[in-house]
Amino acid sequence: MIVDVHTHHVPKGWPELGWAGAPRLRVESEREAMILLGDREFRRIQDGCWNPARRIEAMDADGVDVQVVSPTPVFFSYERPAAQAVQVSKIFNDLALEICADERLVPFCQVPLQDPDLACAELDRCLASGHAGVEIGNHVGDRDLDDAGVVQFLQHCAAVGAPVFVHPWDMPGGPRLERWMAQWLVGMPAETHLSVLAMILGGVFDRVPESLRICFAHGGGSFAFWLGRFENAWHRRSDLVGVSELPPSRYVERFGVDSVVFDERALRLLVETMGEDRVMLGSDFPYPLGESPVGALVRGAGFLSGTARAKLLGGNAARFLGRTPGEAPPVAHAR
């Protein structure tokens, strides 16, 4: 089974949300639409975002058996009052089940992470209705993943067996980051690295069970490259950095990352740092900065053994999803 753990959806439309600046979709043709935040154009998208037939056609072309389909982070609504975020989450989560009616498409839900009780309740509702896990953003305003409310939610995910996919979002702006798509080229890796640091140095892995299945997007950002610097700081400046019970390198076995790094040298470092059991195929489909053809890097990486390649292409993702490696998807999602 070839499993892509990092893809996104956008429904073709949703009801008016009724508040200023709310996201909406301007459908321009059968194949193209524009995401709007209020009246501001955010991103042009194609029908691969909402059309399951187009999605499966692309999967077949790239030899992908299963996609994990997560929300597009701009819709998280963490900056809104919790009641509005619940409204958005319920609408988008229910529409995701329609997009993912095919057994090869595995839906992950979104939750109002700014309110842990509401987030836990929405996760439970979604798991009961057919979602397989949850995607969360890497921060809620200035609250990182070591925030008490986020930790409460992660503890609940561990308790109910829900895998968690962490995706960067709401990157810092400013003139230096608004050229060359620098928010995506620099901001996303930095935000992801920072969220891994928060999980380790904030003591989250010391407070959540080892049963928590959590994966970070975009190869974990720059974490693999800078683990040595991170480790050195923990030992030399323990007064400031040594908050976790163990050195940073001891927590590498507690999380996974996807393979969206685009370069064999980077993938080699990622596998050597994380281990071949904790890197999973990801593409960022259907967005233009994603990998295409999906899996080309892993399939063509000469340093990988056949066993390691099979793990990266699907075996590790199966365990992340709570399945036996090679297990086919369920016949249908519960409704």
Side-chain angles (χ1 to χ4, degrees):
M1 297 296 294
I2 310 301
V3 182
D4 183 350
V5 301
H6 182 175
T7 81
H8 298 287
H9 74 84
V10 177
K12 192 174 183 180
W14 52 89
E16 286 289 336
L17 298 172
W19 33 272
R24 53 194 182 92
L25 196 70
R26 186 177 71 217
V27 178
E28 299 179 343
S29 71
E30 284 298 310
R31 300 290 297 271
E32 196 167 85
M34 175 66 72
I35 298 173
L36 300 170
L37 302 180
D39 293 326
R40 178 172 67 88
E41 293 184 348
F42 173 74
R43 177 182 294 168
R44 186 172 299 279
I45 60 172
Q46 278 69 46
D47 64 340
C49 285
W50 65 77
N51 185 338
R54 189 74 60 194
R55 184 177 289 266
I56 290 170
E57 179 183 282
M59 292 167 65
D60 288 342
D62 289 347
V64 174
D65 296 301
V66 174
Q67 278 187 353
V68 175
V69 185
S70 295
T72 296
V74 72
F75 302 115
F76 286 153
S77 303
Y78 297 163
E79 76 285 1
R80 307 299 305 188
Q84 293 178 352
V86 170
Q87 177 191 17
V88 172
S89 294
K90 288 183 175 181
I91 290 171
F92 276 72
N93 291 335
D94 290 347
L95 290 172
L97 291 177
E98 297 179 12
I99 294 171
C100 297
D102 191 283
E103 61 186 18
R104 295 171 62 186
L105 305 177
V106 178
F108 271 30
C109 64
Q110 67 182 66
V111 296
L113 197 59
Q114 63 268 60
D115 186 308
D117 292 332
L118 293 176
C120 292
E122 178 60 10
L123 174 64
D124 291 346
R125 186 188 77 88
C126 289
L127 293 177
S129 63
H131 287 267
V134 60
E135 179 190 55
I136 64 172
N138 69 306
H139 65 103
V140 180
D142 291 330
R143 298 156 53 196
D144 222 318
L145 297 186
D146 59 332
D147 175 79
V150 178
V151 174
Q152 176 187 334
F153 177 73
L154 294 176
Q155 290 170 334
H156 183 73
C157 291
V160 300
V164 180
F165 186 64
V166 181
H167 197 287
W169 86 296
D170 193 30
M171 287 80 68
R176 296 176 62 239
L177 287 168
E178 289 170 1
R179 303 184 295 168
W180 318 307
M181 295 193 75
Q183 284 183 306
W184 280 261
L185 301 180
V186 177
M188 276 197 167
E191 283 288 334
T192 308
H193 181 182
L194 182 59
S195 60
V196 177
L197 262 62
M199 291 285 293
I200 295 174
L201 295 185
V204 181
F205 286 123
D206 298 325
R207 288 181 279 163
V208 298
E210 292 188 9
S211 60
L212 177 68
R213 286 172 278 147
I214 187 167
C215 175
F216 291 83
H218 299 291
S222 50
F223 173 80
F225 190 84
W226 288 116
L227 177 57
R229 181 178 178 87
F230 192 7
E231 188 91 352
N232 179 67
W234 190 90
H235 287 288
R236 291 180 176 270
R237 289 306 309 268
S238 59
D239 56 323
L240 298 176
V241 179
V243 179
S244 57
E245 293 179 4
L246 302 171
S249 60
R250 298 285 297 276
Y251 295 94
V252 167
E253 295 182 358
R254 297 291 302 276
F255 63 96
V257 297
D258 72 18
S259 65
V260 191
V261 293
F262 304 100
D263 186 280
E264 184 172 336
R265 293 163 298 182
L267 182 64
R268 179 193 289 270
L269 175 63
L270 194 62
V271 172
E272 289 177 350
T273 302
M274 299 297 303
E276 64 183 40
D277 293 324
R278 288 176 292 279
V279 182
M280 309 173 218
L281 175 65
S283 70
D284 210 1
F285 178 91
Y287 294 125
L289 293 188
E291 183 188 42
S292 181
V294 176
L297 177 60
V298 174
R299 288 186 172 102
F303 72 90
L304 289 173
S305 68
T307 299
R309 196 183 324 277
K311 290 179 178 179
L312 268 65
L313 287 174
N316 295 336
R319 282 186 290 273
F320 174 63
L321 294 172
R323 301 176 179 177
T324 302
E327 179 184 349
V331 174
H333 297 304
R335 287 291 187 270

